[in-house]
Amino acid sequence: MSQPEVDLDGLSDSEKSTLEMYMAVTSQEPSEAIPLLRRSQWNVQAQIPLKKPALPWIAPPPQPNRRTQNLMTDDLTEHLSQVARATATDLAPRVNLQPADQPTYRPPFILSLLLTPFNLVYRILCSSFRLFGVLFPFLPRLFNRTANPALQGARRNTTGRRSLGPKDTAARFIREFEEEYESIPIPFLENGYNMALEKAHRDLKYLLVILLSPEHDDTDSWVRDTLLAPEVVEFINDPQNNLLVWGGNVRDSEAYQVANSLKCTKFPFAAVIVHTPNVSSTAMSVVGRIAGLTTPSEVVNKLRTVVTSNSEPLERLRSSRAEQQASRSLREEQDSAYERSLAIDRERARQRREAELARQREEQEAADRQAAEEQRLRDLAQWKLWRGQSLSAEPGPDVKDAVRISVRLPSGERIMRKFAPDADIEEIYAVVECYEILQEQDTERHVVSAPEGFVHHYGFRLVSPMPRVVYAVDEGGSIREKIGRGGNLLVEPIDEDEDDADDDEVTDMS
């Protein structure tokens, strides 16, 4: 049958380019390709996977050594292969697990006895369904797609295995794997599936998910002959391949949900998950699957293909993260240097403030000392006036037992005066202290009172030269008892250091 004529002149340049690209891949006629592209609004990516789906694990046929180079065809083929790979990539979903600390309802003993027959029938039916699932792998997928979501978790408690948390479940899988195969050369992650996804995304590594079903006949031989083969173990453990391995037993709730999420229809099963920055900034995608019996060389080739095909965007992202980390480190160093400089400036400012406060305190103390000294001098002058006015009058000639005292001042002057015999020795000290006041010619003096709160201390002592005798004012006593009928005394100033030494000596003697 002849194809109807199609008016290509009515198409725009972009539509013609899209049509040529689509026809180069699907080998369809324009009359068939144009209606399909119009229905998809000329989106070639939406039509190519439907007509020519990509098979990620089938190696391409060997090409002849001699072929004709066509730049346009090669570019179109490369672009379409990239589009097909991007379309065939499935996002790796997370799994929602029942909390490990959720209490389990246990019926009473009598009720459990009554329900035992129904429980046995239910277990038999579930075992039969699992057997049919092994024989016909499409049945579990069909049931999971058509069943009520509330019933999809019913398998969790039908295996008789105790439900554990993700970390404990992973530890149990590793322990059972080691007990079953007597060695564990593969570094399985000892945490949950979601945590493994987070680690792979954070470290920009490939996550190899291995799901095993002990009920499957090929599981034991696949693990011993393929998974634990030296070349597979060496490839997995090679740090340059950046592989993380997480394993699970589908009899556990978490591994069963992971199998459903990854669309597993045949065991043993392995999938490779990696961060795909070209999809989104947080996307984790399934970039490869291995299902059923495979040889070690096939596993290594498939893993190497996945690692090679996805290494370029990961390297770009690693470089971008390294640059961001370098800039972040540089910024932190700059902030640290700024904080250190700021701390030094703060310390200097604090020292300046403390020095200023110390200077102000010293000035204040000096001012206080000066004011106190001025006040002391005023009080001393007032005290001298008051004490000079309160001195006893010199005895007259009619007092036969008056004591005549001659006092030599440090300036060389002499004070000649008579004292009553019963006068206290302090009277002589007062005369010497108030000598200047007594010498003033002002006869009209105002009555002055003693200064309040002022305690006067004499800054000198009276001594007799030969023999040397000190007449201390604090010892008291009358002049007649201490000196006798008369005497010559000297005024010796008391130094502060000497006074302190005398006080220490008195303290030691006491």
Side-chain angles (χ1 to χ4, degrees), residues 206 234-243 307 311 315 318:
Y206 301 87
E234 181 181 0
F235 185 86
I236 292 176
N237 293 329
D238 190 354
Q240 295 182 355
N241 296 324
N242 296 318
L243 277 174
V307 171
S311 60
E315 287 298 330
R318 289 192 187 99

Side-chain angles (χ1 to χ4, degrees), residues 122 126 129-130 151-160 213 215 249-253 256 260:
Y122 177 74
C126 289
F129 181 77
R130 286 198 299 271
L151 300 177
Q152 294 183 8
R155 188 189 184 278
R156 296 177 183 176
N157 298 325
T158 60
T159 60
S213 175
E215 300 174 355
N249 189 334
V250 292
R251 294 186 299 176
D252 295 325
S253 173
Y256 180 74
N260 290 335

Side-chain angles (χ1 to χ4, degrees), residues 110-162:
I110 298 177
L111 183 61
S112 61
L113 287 179
L114 295 176
L115 296 178
T116 299
F118 299 97
N119 190 15
L120 292 177
V121 173
Y122 177 74
R123 289 177 180 273
I124 292 173
L125 291 177
C126 289
S127 301
S128 302
F129 181 77
R130 286 198 299 271
L131 178 61
F132 278 101
V134 173
L135 297 177
F136 305 99
F138 62 89
L139 289 179
R141 287 299 309 161
L142 180 63
F143 175 76
N144 289 332
R145 290 183 178 181
T146 58
N148 191 326
L151 300 177
Q152 294 183 8
R155 188 189 184 278
R156 296 177 183 176
N157 298 325
T158 60
T159 60
R161 291 169 64 87
R162 181 182 176 185

Side-chain angles (χ1 to χ4, degrees), residues 86-101:
T87 307
T89 301
D90 297 331
L91 296 179
R94 298 176 178 271
V95 295
N96 298 321
L97 300 176
Q98 181 181 7
D101 55 352

